[in-house]
Amino acid sequence: MAKPLTDSEKRKQISIRGIVGVENVAELKKGFNRHLHFTLVKDRNVATTRDYYFALAHTVRDHLVGRWIRTQQYYYEKDPKRTYYLSLEFYMGRTLQNTMINLGLQNASDEAIYQLGLDIEELEEMEEDAGLGNGGLGRLAACFLDSMATLGLAAYGYGIRYEYGIFNQKIKDGWQVEEADDWLRYGNPWEKARPEFMLPVHFYGRVEKTKTGVRWVDTQVVLAMPYDTPVPGYMNNTVNTMRLWSARAPNDFNLRDFNVGDYIQAVLDRNLAENISRVLYPNDNFFEGKELRLKQEYFVVAASLQDIIRRFKASKSGSQDSVQISFDSFPEKVAIQLNDTHPALGIPELMRIFLDIEKLPWEKAWELTRKTFAYTNHTVLPEALERWPVELVEKLLPRHLQIIYDINLKHLDRISALFPGDMGRLRKMSLIEEDGGKRINMAHLCIVGSHAVNGVAKIHSEIVKNEVFKDFSELEPEKFQNKTNGITPRRWLLLCNPGLAELIAEKIGEEYVKDLSQLTKLRKFVDDHAFIRDVSKVKEENKLKFSQYLEKEYKMKINPASMFDVQVKRIHEYKRQLMNCLHIITMYNRIKANPSKDFVPRTVIIGGKAAPGYHMAKMIIKLITSVGDIVNNDPMVGSKLKVIYLENYRVSLAEKVIPATDLSEQISTAGTEASGTGNMKFMLNGALTIGTMDGANVEMAEEAGEENLFIFGMRVEDVAEMDKKGYNAKDYYEKLPELKKVIDQIQNGFFSPAKPDLFKDVVNMLFYHDRFKVFADYEDYVKSQERVSELYKNPKEWTKVVIKNIAASGKFSSDRTIKEYAKDIWGVEPTDLKIPPPNEPRDVAENSTAVKGKAKV
């Protein structure tokens, strides 16, 4: 069992992953054996690796429970302002290792499992990813939850417990094939169902005007069952809650009215209601106006708002007697962040509750609503903006449509008063778009109904303010802000790259884990030979480990000394995986033309999922895999160039590939990627970036110095200029012989000999309707790639630039992002206070006179 430790494994044993106390280890072993016996009902003779994973998960979860209960108790007594993060996606990945790290149990658990004769990594690999997200937006929500808990904020994530998350991607014969992600098949040890907090959600019906006010009647009811997942902060004993709703049919579903005779069919029809939380829509940056999706959006919002109001009423700020409660303090006690427009129906829903149920006057209800909500915009791509047909909303949510019309009327009245006779402005700013069927512009609803609107990187927020929502920002400039995205250093450094995390801790101490800005202290080691050697050694070990993984999974020999050139993200035309592919073919052609010439070897790794209905994205995957087939099997190329398509890219795979990467590809057309967060993960983990001046790349270059990134291509202004004068792809094709050769090869079937016209759609798009101007940036991209290879030939100089990048990555912690939201938008204060752990008396933290021992959810 005992094998010699690598340098980074030795580093693991230092304190950053928690102390290995004898009592600690003994207790974990005891818990493990107890769960194996009592929870899993197995002994060591018949237990499987999965049983062992569950036994460990339950043991670690035991250490969360006391802290979780205590945190919620503490919030009940102190009654701080609560922050609610509403999102249709939470891309959490795996939970076990993250929990061990945040609780300081990693080392003790390693040791306990080792003493039991098991391999903890093998157990960790059994856990299913919670793939309840598509990409950046969902993963951002997950990072934010980690930071909010680490900063001691009373925060809650609200979303949907999808039975099926993002599909599993198989590559068959070079094509993407989707399989259902049955992630709950073996059960989820991290969630706790809370049937006692089940809530009704209404759909359809009609609106009735009565003497006492408006009523929404004859509705269909679906129940929302909450499942709570603990969210531990880093080493501060805070454990917040992510509450995900699952749809359940009421017991009298379809049995009340008609269906009198057909009891069996009525029970079978319960599925119709429960389908609401069945599956995550697999689109990234694309709006698909389906009724089921609208139901999901209302479902999460209606359940969450009832829960939020219940908690407000139960708290000390809501008076305890049964008379009419005062909502005056609601915005002082509640902040709700809308993660994109997906939960935008929260605005009319809160209005409906205030008006129809709590009987507040319109002005008061609207004031409270606006002060409560804030909206984060995540994209400027027109095809991603949600525009729901009025007809559909009228059928599903008739009362909400009325409220939206009333909001719009008052909104347009205000604009008419400010700009008399300006019909163009009214049309542009209306919540209802009239051209080609009436639609509700959900972004406009969010802007009008929120007190703050933010973009997710400086350049993106400028585009939001000065272009996309220009009329709105002229009206209320103070409403528009920037909050540059960030990533949690717990998962994206400590967990995935322990070797680097320890190396950094040896140099600058451990405090950086909670204050990533301290990484600037590494600048003084840029020329330290020993440090340069150690950083490059960690990268080598990570590459070796990942090479072994690739060889196991792909049966392909990898040269670990080659440059690992990686582009992993959702497949989308704007992200320009195609440009990367053209560069691969260019390198291939150069090797073929001059086989004896010195060539810096590369392993090009591309991964990511395409939305199942996105034809062009699927063709791009097929092109990359087809190019790989030719390149990888050409004996003249050998180990100089390899192309790997990474199947089923997901959070747990990102944790493996990112620490092993040398070159990070962030090559979207300037002005299209709102921020990007993968770019930050690569930077923190010691990769260099080749990228355009887009999204957060701009701020990364600002922090590290532009000379320490490989920046190329058109800037936002150049793209705008080209849009004015017109982009003609043919010009570049004629002018650049290498590009011409590459395109001719694709077009003539060099990479698809069995079907020479296989890629005609791709070539046709590149020539005649490429919105993202691949050819315009090709030449500069290839030149920039030559600079990359040049630097890579000098390992020492390369590693110095790596160190400069790591030292400059502190800004991109989600802790910094959340502190900014807290201060500028939510009006809450982060706290360093450590709630006492379950084994200490409660009065350590506070001498509160409040009711003791009341755990509240």
Side-chain angles (χ1 to χ4, degrees), residues 69-106:
I69 289 172
R70 211 172 247 212
T71 301
Q72 301 312 313
Q73 238 167 266
Y74 181 79
Y75 293 158
Y76 180 72
E77 289 163 13
K78 286 279 178 271
D79 193 31
K81 181 172 184 178
R82 271 118 164 146
T83 301
Y84 297 104
Y85 198 81
L86 260 57
S87 180
L88 266 89
E89 303 185 19
F90 287 93
Y91 203 173
M92 303 294 284
R94 291 172 177 163
T95 298
L96 174 59
Q97 202 186 347
N98 186 248
T99 305
M100 293 190 300
I101 284 171
N102 280 10
L103 260 41
L105 288 173
Q106 173 93 64

Short mmCIF file of all heavy atoms in Angstrom, two decimals, residues 69-106:
data_model
loop_
_atom_site.label_atom_id
_atom_site.label_comp_id
_atom_site.label_asym_id
_atom_site.label_seq_id
_atom_site.Cartn_x
_atom_site.Cartn_y
_atom_site.Cartn_z
N ILE A 69 -26.63 23.45 11.85
CA ILE A 69 -27.72 23.80 12.77
C ILE A 69 -27.36 25.07 13.53
O ILE A 69 -28.16 26.00 13.67
CB ILE A 69 -28.01 22.63 13.74
CG1 ILE A 69 -28.66 21.48 12.97
CG2 ILE A 69 -28.89 23.10 14.91
CD1 ILE A 69 -28.82 20.20 13.77
N ARG A 70 -26.13 25.13 13.99
CA ARG A 70 -25.70 26.26 14.80
C ARG A 70 -25.68 27.56 14.00
O ARG A 70 -26.02 28.62 14.50
CB ARG A 70 -24.31 25.98 15.37
CG ARG A 70 -24.17 26.66 16.71
CD ARG A 70 -22.90 26.26 17.39
NE ARG A 70 -23.21 25.47 18.58
CZ ARG A 70 -22.43 25.50 19.66
NH1 ARG A 70 -21.35 26.23 19.68
NH2 ARG A 70 -22.74 24.78 20.70
N THR A 71 -25.26 27.48 12.75
CA THR A 71 -25.25 28.67 11.90
C THR A 71 -26.67 29.20 11.73
O THR A 71 -26.92 30.41 11.86
CB THR A 71 -24.65 28.34 10.51
OG1 THR A 71 -23.31 27.86 10.67
CG2 THR A 71 -24.63 29.57 9.62
N GLN A 72 -27.61 28.32 11.44
CA GLN A 72 -28.99 28.75 11.21
C GLN A 72 -29.61 29.31 12.50
O GLN A 72 -30.36 30.29 12.46
CB GLN A 72 -29.82 27.59 10.64
CG GLN A 72 -29.28 27.03 9.31
CD GLN A 72 -28.96 28.08 8.27
OE1 GLN A 72 -29.75 28.99 8.00
NE2 GLN A 72 -27.77 27.99 7.67
N GLN A 73 -29.26 28.72 13.62
CA GLN A 73 -29.69 29.21 14.93
C GLN A 73 -29.18 30.63 15.16
O GLN A 73 -29.90 31.52 15.61
CB GLN A 73 -29.04 28.33 16.00
CG GLN A 73 -29.98 27.64 16.94
CD GLN A 73 -29.23 26.58 17.73
OE1 GLN A 73 -29.22 25.44 17.33
NE2 GLN A 73 -28.58 26.96 18.81
N TYR A 74 -27.91 30.80 14.84
CA TYR A 74 -27.22 32.08 15.01
C TYR A 74 -27.92 33.15 14.17
O TYR A 74 -28.16 34.27 14.64
CB TYR A 74 -25.76 31.91 14.60
CG TYR A 74 -24.93 33.15 14.76
CD1 TYR A 74 -24.44 33.53 16.02
CD2 TYR A 74 -24.61 33.95 13.66
CE1 TYR A 74 -23.66 34.67 16.16
CE2 TYR A 74 -23.82 35.07 13.79
CZ TYR A 74 -23.35 35.44 15.05
OH TYR A 74 -22.59 36.56 15.20
N TYR A 75 -28.27 32.82 12.91
CA TYR A 75 -28.97 33.78 12.05
C TYR A 75 -30.34 34.11 12.64
O TYR A 75 -30.80 35.26 12.58
CB TYR A 75 -29.15 33.23 10.63
CG TYR A 75 -27.87 33.06 9.85
CD1 TYR A 75 -27.79 32.17 8.77
CD2 TYR A 75 -26.71 33.79 10.16
CE1 TYR A 75 -26.62 32.01 8.04
CE2 TYR A 75 -25.54 33.63 9.44
CZ TYR A 75 -25.49 32.74 8.38
OH TYR A 75 -24.35 32.57 7.66
N TYR A 76 -31.02 33.12 13.20
CA TYR A 76 -32.35 33.35 13.76
C TYR A 76 -32.27 34.34 14.92
O TYR A 76 -33.10 35.23 15.06
CB TYR A 76 -32.96 32.02 14.22
CG TYR A 76 -34.34 32.18 14.80
CD1 TYR A 76 -35.43 32.47 13.97
CD2 TYR A 76 -34.56 32.04 16.17
CE1 TYR A 76 -36.70 32.62 14.50
CE2 TYR A 76 -35.83 32.19 16.71
CZ TYR A 76 -36.90 32.48 15.86
OH TYR A 76 -38.17 32.63 16.38
N GLU A 77 -31.22 34.16 15.74
CA GLU A 77 -31.09 35.03 16.92
C GLU A 77 -30.60 36.43 16.56
O GLU A 77 -31.11 37.42 17.07
CB GLU A 77 -30.13 34.38 17.93
CG GLU A 77 -30.75 33.17 18.58
CD GLU A 77 -29.72 32.27 19.25
OE1 GLU A 77 -28.56 32.72 19.41
OE2 GLU A 77 -30.06 31.13 19.59
N LYS A 78 -29.61 36.51 15.69
CA LYS A 78 -29.03 37.81 15.34
C LYS A 78 -29.88 38.56 14.32
O LYS A 78 -29.78 39.78 14.20
CB LYS A 78 -27.62 37.60 14.77
CG LYS A 78 -26.59 37.25 15.83
CD LYS A 78 -26.10 38.51 16.56
CE LYS A 78 -25.12 38.18 17.66
NZ LYS A 78 -25.76 37.92 18.97
N ASP A 79 -30.66 37.82 13.54
CA ASP A 79 -31.51 38.39 12.49
C ASP A 79 -30.78 39.40 11.60
O ASP A 79 -31.19 40.54 11.47
CB ASP A 79 -32.75 39.03 13.11
CG ASP A 79 -33.80 39.34 12.06
OD1 ASP A 79 -33.87 38.60 11.07
OD2 ASP A 79 -34.54 40.34 12.22
N PRO A 80 -29.71 38.97 10.95
CA PRO A 80 -29.02 39.87 10.01
C PRO A 80 -29.85 40.02 8.73
O PRO A 80 -30.81 39.27 8.52
CB PRO A 80 -27.73 39.11 9.70
CG PRO A 80 -28.13 37.66 9.80
CD PRO A 80 -29.17 37.59 10.90
N LYS A 81 -29.48 40.98 7.90
CA LYS A 81 -30.09 41.05 6.58
C LYS A 81 -29.68 39.81 5.80
O LYS A 81 -28.51 39.42 5.81
CB LYS A 81 -29.61 42.31 5.83
CG LYS A 81 -30.25 42.45 4.45
CD LYS A 81 -29.93 43.79 3.79
CE LYS A 81 -30.65 43.94 2.47
NZ LYS A 81 -30.40 45.25 1.83
N ARG A 82 -30.65 39.18 5.14
CA ARG A 82 -30.34 37.96 4.39
C ARG A 82 -30.20 38.25 2.90
O ARG A 82 -30.93 39.08 2.35
CB ARG A 82 -31.44 36.92 4.58
CG ARG A 82 -31.19 36.01 5.77
CD ARG A 82 -32.24 36.13 6.76
NE ARG A 82 -32.25 35.04 7.73
CZ ARG A 82 -32.58 35.21 8.98
NH1 ARG A 82 -32.88 36.43 9.41
NH2 ARG A 82 -32.63 34.20 9.82
N THR A 83 -29.28 37.53 2.27
CA THR A 83 -29.06 37.65 0.84
C THR A 83 -29.52 36.36 0.17
O THR A 83 -29.14 35.27 0.60
CB THR A 83 -27.56 37.85 0.55
OG1 THR A 83 -27.13 39.04 1.22
CG2 THR A 83 -27.30 38.01 -0.94
N TYR A 84 -30.34 36.52 -0.86
CA TYR A 84 -30.87 35.36 -1.58
C TYR A 84 -30.37 35.39 -3.02
O TYR A 84 -30.62 36.36 -3.74
CB TYR A 84 -32.40 35.39 -1.54
CG TYR A 84 -32.94 35.27 -0.14
CD1 TYR A 84 -33.45 36.39 0.54
CD2 TYR A 84 -32.93 34.05 0.53
CE1 TYR A 84 -33.94 36.27 1.84
CE2 TYR A 84 -33.42 33.92 1.82
CZ TYR A 84 -33.91 35.03 2.47
OH TYR A 84 -34.40 34.91 3.74
N TYR A 85 -29.67 34.34 -3.40
CA TYR A 85 -29.13 34.26 -4.77
C TYR A 85 -30.02 33.32 -5.56
O TYR A 85 -30.04 32.11 -5.33
CB TYR A 85 -27.68 33.76 -4.71
CG TYR A 85 -26.91 34.04 -5.98
CD1 TYR A 85 -26.35 35.30 -6.21
CD2 TYR A 85 -26.76 33.07 -6.97
CE1 TYR A 85 -25.66 35.58 -7.38
CE2 TYR A 85 -26.06 33.34 -8.14
CZ TYR A 85 -25.51 34.59 -8.34
OH TYR A 85 -24.83 34.87 -9.50
N LEU A 86 -30.81 33.90 -6.46
CA LEU A 86 -31.77 33.12 -7.26
C LEU A 86 -31.14 32.76 -8.60
O LEU A 86 -30.73 33.64 -9.36
CB LEU A 86 -33.05 33.93 -7.51
CG LEU A 86 -34.25 33.63 -6.61
CD1 LEU A 86 -33.88 33.81 -5.14
CD2 LEU A 86 -35.43 34.51 -6.98
N SER A 87 -31.08 31.46 -8.88
CA SER A 87 -30.43 31.03 -10.11
C SER A 87 -31.09 29.74 -10.61
O SER A 87 -31.42 28.87 -9.80
CB SER A 87 -28.94 30.78 -9.87
OG SER A 87 -28.30 30.36 -11.05
N LEU A 88 -31.27 29.62 -11.92
CA LEU A 88 -31.78 28.35 -12.46
C LEU A 88 -30.67 27.32 -12.59
O LEU A 88 -30.94 26.17 -12.95
CB LEU A 88 -32.52 28.56 -13.79
CG LEU A 88 -34.01 28.73 -13.48
CD1 LEU A 88 -34.36 30.18 -13.24
CD2 LEU A 88 -34.89 28.10 -14.55
N GLU A 89 -29.43 27.74 -12.29
CA GLU A 89 -28.32 26.80 -12.39
C GLU A 89 -27.37 26.96 -11.20
O GLU A 89 -27.03 28.07 -10.82
CB GLU A 89 -27.53 27.05 -13.70
CG GLU A 89 -28.38 26.95 -14.96
CD GLU A 89 -27.56 27.08 -16.24
OE1 GLU A 89 -26.32 26.89 -16.19
OE2 GLU A 89 -28.16 27.37 -17.28
N PHE A 90 -26.96 25.82 -10.65
CA PHE A 90 -25.87 25.76 -9.68
C PHE A 90 -24.99 24.58 -10.09
O PHE A 90 -25.35 23.42 -9.88
CB PHE A 90 -26.39 25.56 -8.24
CG PHE A 90 -27.05 26.77 -7.65
CD1 PHE A 90 -28.42 26.94 -7.75
CD2 PHE A 90 -26.29 27.74 -7.00
CE1 PHE A 90 -29.04 28.06 -7.21
CE2 PHE A 90 -26.90 28.87 -6.46
CZ PHE A 90 -28.27 29.03 -6.56
N TYR A 91 -23.86 24.90 -10.72
CA TYR A 91 -22.99 23.84 -11.26
C TYR A 91 -21.98 23.46 -10.18
O TYR A 91 -20.85 23.94 -10.16
CB TYR A 91 -22.30 24.36 -12.53
CG TYR A 91 -21.83 23.29 -13.47
CD1 TYR A 91 -21.33 23.64 -14.73
CD2 TYR A 91 -21.88 21.94 -13.14
CE1 TYR A 91 -20.89 22.67 -15.61
CE2 TYR A 91 -21.46 20.97 -14.01
CZ TYR A 91 -20.96 21.34 -15.25
OH TYR A 91 -20.53 20.38 -16.12
N MET A 92 -22.40 22.59 -9.25
CA MET A 92 -21.64 22.36 -8.02
C MET A 92 -20.47 21.38 -8.19
O MET A 92 -19.50 21.44 -7.44
CB MET A 92 -22.57 21.85 -6.92
CG MET A 92 -23.74 22.77 -6.61
SD MET A 92 -23.25 24.37 -5.92
CE MET A 92 -22.87 23.89 -4.24
N GLY A 93 -20.57 20.44 -9.11
CA GLY A 93 -19.54 19.41 -9.19
C GLY A 93 -19.64 18.46 -8.01
O GLY A 93 -20.73 18.22 -7.48
N ARG A 94 -18.49 17.97 -7.55
CA ARG A 94 -18.48 17.04 -6.42
C ARG A 94 -18.37 17.81 -5.10
O ARG A 94 -17.83 18.91 -5.07
CB ARG A 94 -17.29 16.08 -6.55
CG ARG A 94 -17.44 15.10 -7.70
CD ARG A 94 -16.15 14.32 -7.89
NE ARG A 94 -16.29 13.31 -8.94
CZ ARG A 94 -15.27 12.72 -9.55
NH1 ARG A 94 -14.02 13.02 -9.19
NH2 ARG A 94 -15.48 11.82 -10.49
N THR A 95 -18.85 17.17 -4.03
CA THR A 95 -18.93 17.84 -2.74
C THR A 95 -17.95 17.31 -1.70
O THR A 95 -17.51 18.06 -0.83
CB THR A 95 -20.38 17.74 -2.21
OG1 THR A 95 -21.24 18.41 -3.13
CG2 THR A 95 -20.53 18.36 -0.83
N LEU A 96 -17.59 16.03 -1.77
CA LEU A 96 -16.82 15.40 -0.68
C LEU A 96 -15.51 16.14 -0.38
O LEU A 96 -15.29 16.60 0.75
CB LEU A 96 -16.52 13.94 -1.01
CG LEU A 96 -15.60 13.21 -0.01
CD1 LEU A 96 -16.20 13.21 1.39
CD2 LEU A 96 -15.33 11.77 -0.47
N GLN A 97 -14.65 16.28 -1.37
CA GLN A 97 -13.33 16.84 -1.10
C GLN A 97 -13.41 18.31 -0.70
O GLN A 97 -12.69 18.77 0.19
CB GLN A 97 -12.43 16.67 -2.34
CG GLN A 97 -10.96 16.71 -1.98
CD GLN A 97 -10.06 16.67 -3.20
OE1 GLN A 97 -10.50 16.38 -4.32
NE2 GLN A 97 -8.79 16.98 -3.01
N ASN A 98 -14.33 19.04 -1.33
CA ASN A 98 -14.51 20.45 -0.97
C ASN A 98 -14.93 20.60 0.49
O ASN A 98 -14.48 21.51 1.19
CB ASN A 98 -15.56 21.08 -1.89
CG ASN A 98 -15.70 22.57 -1.67
OD1 ASN A 98 -16.70 23.06 -1.18
ND2 ASN A 98 -14.65 23.32 -1.99
N THR A 99 -15.79 19.70 0.95
CA THR A 99 -16.24 19.75 2.34
C THR A 99 -15.09 19.43 3.29
O THR A 99 -14.90 20.12 4.31
CB THR A 99 -17.39 18.75 2.56
OG1 THR A 99 -18.43 19.04 1.61
CG2 THR A 99 -17.96 18.86 3.96
N MET A 100 -14.29 18.42 2.96
CA MET A 100 -13.15 18.07 3.81
C MET A 100 -12.18 19.24 3.91
O MET A 100 -11.68 19.56 5.00
CB MET A 100 -12.43 16.83 3.24
CG MET A 100 -13.28 15.58 3.32
SD MET A 100 -12.40 14.04 2.94
CE MET A 100 -11.85 14.30 1.29
N ILE A 101 -11.94 19.93 2.80
CA ILE A 101 -11.01 21.06 2.81
C ILE A 101 -11.56 22.20 3.65
O ILE A 101 -10.87 22.76 4.50
CB ILE A 101 -10.71 21.51 1.36
CG1 ILE A 101 -9.74 20.53 0.71
CG2 ILE A 101 -10.12 22.92 1.35
CD1 ILE A 101 -9.54 20.74 -0.77
N ASN A 102 -12.83 22.56 3.43
CA ASN A 102 -13.39 23.70 4.15
C ASN A 102 -13.56 23.43 5.64
O ASN A 102 -13.59 24.36 6.44
CB ASN A 102 -14.72 24.13 3.51
CG ASN A 102 -14.50 24.98 2.26
OD1 ASN A 102 -13.37 25.09 1.77
ND2 ASN A 102 -15.54 25.57 1.73
N LEU A 103 -13.64 22.16 6.02
CA LEU A 103 -13.75 21.79 7.44
C LEU A 103 -12.38 21.46 8.06
O LEU A 103 -12.30 21.16 9.25
CB LEU A 103 -14.69 20.59 7.59
CG LEU A 103 -16.13 20.87 8.02
CD1 LEU A 103 -16.73 22.09 7.34
CD2 LEU A 103 -17.01 19.66 7.78
N GLY A 104 -11.32 21.51 7.24
CA GLY A 104 -9.99 21.17 7.75
C GLY A 104 -9.84 19.69 8.07
O GLY A 104 -9.08 19.31 8.96
N LEU A 105 -10.56 18.86 7.34
CA LEU A 105 -10.55 17.41 7.61
C LEU A 105 -9.78 16.61 6.57
O LEU A 105 -9.72 15.38 6.67
CB LEU A 105 -11.99 16.87 7.64
CG LEU A 105 -12.88 17.23 8.83
CD1 LEU A 105 -14.30 16.72 8.55
CD2 LEU A 105 -12.34 16.58 10.10
N GLN A 106 -9.24 17.28 5.56
CA GLN A 106 -8.65 16.56 4.44
C GLN A 106 -7.54 15.59 4.89
O GLN A 106 -7.58 14.40 4.56
CB GLN A 106 -8.08 17.55 3.42
CG GLN A 106 -7.31 16.88 2.30
CD GLN A 106 -8.15 16.59 1.08
OE1 GLN A 106 -8.65 17.50 0.44
NE2 GLN A 106 -8.31 15.33 0.76
#
